[in-house]
Amino acid sequence: MSTPTRRDRLREATRTEIKTHARRQMAELGTASISLRGIARDMGLTATALYRYFGSHDDLITELIVDGYNAQADALEAADAHLPHEAHAQRLLTVMLVYREWALEHRTDFQLLYGNPIPGYTAPGEITTPAAARNMAVIIKIIYEAMEAGKLVLTPPHDHIPPTIQQHLENSRWYGVPPILMYIGTIGWARIHGMIMLELFDHTPPVIGDTTALYRQEVINLMQSVGLYLPPD
Amino acid sequence: MSTPTRRDRLREATRTEIKTHARRQMAELGTASISLRGIARDMGLTATALYRYFGSHDDLITELIVDGYNAQADALEAADAHLPHEAHAQRLLTVMLVYREWALEHRTDFQLLYGNPIPGYTAPGEITTPAAARNMAVIIKIIYEAMEAGKLVLTPPHDHIPPTIQQHLENSRWYGVPPILMYIGTIGWARIHGMIMLELFDHTPPVIGDTTALYRQEVINLMQSVGLYLPPD
DNA sequence: TGTACATCAGTGAACGCGCGTTCACTGATGTAC
DNA sequence: TGTACATCAGTGAACGCGCGTTCACTGATGTAC
């Protein structure tokens, strides 16, 4: 409609302030410990006042989740955006490295998105799923463009999809992406996700020592297995 | 010392009953919702009575965690035990499939072991870590035996370890296992872990459809990449 | 420009619920002589 | 075999704390005429 009024702007500022405090509280005490009373205390407000800004505790959490997915996807897209469009290997590596960096820099947000559910809370899928899909989309998009540029080399085992999955992928195409790309994208995502989850929850075997190198090497191996090589520098 | 008395046996029975109820409560409401009062309610006891059996809420959780790790490792070892010792590929495949099955059959236990920490609880590492290491050990052991039997074929990229990791692995050897095996074992574990985590928390892209096939194929690919092939049946 | 009214932010008391943990106790089960 | 005592399981009241949410309210900010 019209430009936001002064009140609207103040209101927006307070909303984001509430979410900032929620995130800090979550970072200190864990995702399950986000509490309206706690936030109000931090802000010097009554708990009741927060109901002016969020319908309920659950609404706040949902918004934190959606914000989280979007922030992560924004980070990926931003990293991708200032690389040469034709440098597919570099773009993919960068995006996957940024994926991990985001996770490590926003540990509790990442846990909120991909970890245990919060007791008593169930995410409303209609709101949450579209935002969640954006991250995967960034990865798929780069692989897709690499394929269109004729750079993808699919050799065994990555030229083969288990039949049940093949069929399922054909039945439910996702934005016209070829099944093999969805398959490779999923495998790739699962791999980096596993490493990050282990690292985040302190389960990477300590004898490894350098988790950054472990991750980077795994990403490079993954890319090479579909024919994407980094230029020698 | 001597045989357990009648009282000792009753006591043990009550302890396990408490843990059973704790697990059920956790399965229904999430790992963060284990409560002494809730368990007592379920058992028709006063909350105070539980203090006869567990020092505190945290002690109970620690014991659930240790039990969980051990149950999982037992399942892996049992599955491995009744396969021919020389059938390394089959053993590895089986163990990794059982790893996932255990996770899916004991979802909340798996979350307790590998997911978000419980608010206000910190696991005592001295107690928890040894039990945690058993699972990894089962996998490493099979790879190790395959190598000793001369069945492991290490080709690029799996013959190469990033230098920092190489060095770290050499400095802190783990039961005399060669660095390359620790490295491959870790990568393998991270891969299957990632798939399971995605599946457990409902993040596997729905277009895939058959998560069992996805997992199985990934395990087979992983094994083939180090030269382990299943016999044609 | 000034007044009357509507909108909104925030308060404070209250409801009803949950939790872990302590403490002094009762009553049953087992043990020593 | 019978009695006296010690051990243990479980009780019930209480402490002190947390939480989300409702409701009727005050007082400031903005809006319409």
Side-chain angles (χ1 to χ4, degrees):
Chain A
M1 321 283 144
S2 49
T3 52
T5 64
R6 179 181 146 75
R7 247 189 194 160
D8 288 344
R9 278 181 285 115
L10 283 177
R11 195 184 159 73
E12 239 356 91
T14 307
R15 277 180 66 87
T16 63
E17 193 187 342
I18 292 171
K19 291 197 271 184
T20 305
H21 280 91
R23 269 187 225 103
R24 225 200 22 191
Q25 193 175 305
M26 171 169 93
E28 279 167 17
L29 304 162
T31 53
S33 303
I34 303 170
S35 89
L36 296 183
R37 295 194 110 104
I39 295 165
R41 223 178 292 126
D42 281 6
M43 292 179 66
L45 280 180
T46 346
T48 349
L50 302 185
Y51 283 83
R52 292 252 141 222
Y53 301 93
F54 294 93
S56 68
H57 175 249
D58 284 14
D59 285 358
L60 171 59
I61 290 178
T62 301
E63 200 159 319
L64 288 175
I65 292 177
V66 171
D67 282 2
Y69 280 126
N70 283 325
Q72 196 189 14
D74 287 348
L76 298 190
E77 284 171 3
D80 185 33
H82 69 270
L83 282 174
H85 188 266
E86 297 307 315
H88 300 99
Q90 253 173 320
R91 288 171 60 197
L92 204 52
L93 174 65
T94 303
V95 161
M96 285 176 140
L97 291 180
V98 169
Y99 185 89
R100 171 169 173 269
E101 275 160 26
W102 194 90
L104 294 181
E105 277 164 22
H106 306 83
R107 290 175 160 257
T108 37
D109 287 277
F110 195 84
Q111 290 174 25
L112 182 66
L113 303 184
Y114 299 107
N116 293 13
I118 289 178
Y121 170 82
T122 7
E126 359 39 283
I127 298 174
T128 259
T129 314
R134 279 187 61 200
N135 290 291
M136 179 78 170
V138 178
I139 295 176
I140 295 285
K141 178 168 170 266
I142 300 178
I143 306 179
Y144 187 58
E145 288 171 4
M147 189 194 69
E148 284 193 317
K151 289 207 194 146
L152 227 55
V153 183
L154 297 176
T155 49
H158 292 305
D159 54 350
H160 169 75
I161 309 182
T164 52
I165 296 179
Q166 171 81 39
Q167 199 185 333
H168 205 274
L169 280 170
E170 275 169 8
N171 289 344
S172 53
R173 283 253 178 157
W174 195 68
Y175 294 109
V177 176
I180 188 70
L181 292 197
M182 280 305 294
Y183 182 67
I184 290 175
T186 302
I187 287 178
W189 186 36
R191 287 194 192 170
I192 65 176
H193 188 74
M195 291 224 158
I196 292 170
M197 285 303 241
L198 286 181
E199 182 169 5
L200 225 51
F201 295 125
D202 260 325
H203 287 290
T204 313
V207 286
I208 290 293
D210 188 346
T211 49
T212 306
L214 183 73
Y215 183 87
R216 188 191 175 88
Q217 189 61 49
E218 176 76 341
V219 171
I220 288 175
N221 290 351
L222 181 64
M223 294 199 310
Q224 292 189 352
S225 73
V226 293
L228 289 175
Y229 288 83
L230 289 171
D233 46 19
Chain B
M1 319 284 145
S2 52
T3 52
T5 65
R6 181 182 143 73
R7 243 188 196 161
D8 287 343
R9 276 181 286 116
L10 283 176
R11 195 183 160 73
E12 239 354 271
T14 308
R15 276 181 67 86
T16 64
E17 192 186 342
I18 291 172
K19 291 196 272 184
T20 306
H21 280 91
R23 270 187 223 101
R24 226 201 21 194
Q25 194 176 305
M26 171 170 91
E28 280 167 17
L29 304 162
T31 53
S33 303
I34 303 171
S35 89
L36 295 182
R37 295 195 109 104
I39 295 165
R41 223 177 291 128
D42 281 7
M43 291 178 68
L45 280 181
T46 346
T48 349
L50 302 185
Y51 282 84
R52 293 252 141 224
Y53 300 94
F54 293 92
S56 68
H57 175 250
D58 284 14
D59 285 358
L60 171 59
I61 290 178
T62 300
E63 200 159 319
L64 289 174
I65 292 176
V66 171
D67 282 4
Y69 280 126
N70 282 324
Q72 196 189 14
D74 288 348
L76 298 190
E77 284 172 3
D80 184 33
H82 68 271
L83 283 174
H85 188 267
E86 296 308 314
H88 300 99
Q90 253 171 318
R91 289 170 61 198
L92 203 52
L93 174 64
T94 305
V95 162
M96 285 177 140
L97 291 179
V98 169
Y99 185 89
R100 171 169 173 268
E101 275 160 26
W102 194 89
L104 294 181
E105 277 164 20
H106 306 82
R107 289 174 161 258
T108 37
D109 286 278
F110 195 85
Q111 290 175 24
L112 181 66
L113 303 184
Y114 299 107
N116 293 15
I118 289 178
Y121 170 82
T122 5
E126 350 55 271
I127 299 175
T128 259
T129 313
R134 280 187 60 201
N135 291 291
M136 179 75 170
V138 178
I139 296 175
I140 295 283
K141 178 167 170 265
I142 301 177
I143 306 179
Y144 186 57
E145 289 170 3
M147 189 194 69
E148 284 194 316
K151 289 205 192 145
L152 227 54
V153 183
L154 296 177
T155 50
H158 292 306
D159 54 351
H160 169 74
I161 309 181
T164 52
I165 298 179
Q166 172 82 37
Q167 200 185 335
H168 206 274
L169 281 170
E170 275 169 8
N171 288 344
S172 52
R173 284 253 178 156
W174 195 70
Y175 294 110
V177 175
I180 188 69
L181 293 196
M182 280 306 294
Y183 182 66
I184 290 174
T186 303
I187 287 178
W189 185 36
R191 287 196 191 168
I192 65 176
H193 188 73
M195 292 223 157
I196 292 170
M197 286 304 242
L198 286 181
E199 181 169 6
L200 226 51
F201 295 124
D202 260 326
H203 287 290
T204 313
V207 286
I208 290 292
D210 188 346
T211 48
T212 306
L214 182 74
Y215 183 85
R216 190 191 174 87
Q217 188 62 49
E218 176 75 341
V219 171
I220 288 175
N221 290 351
L222 181 64
M223 293 199 309
Q224 291 188 352
S225 73
V226 292
L228 290 175
Y229 288 83
L230 290 170
D233 46 19

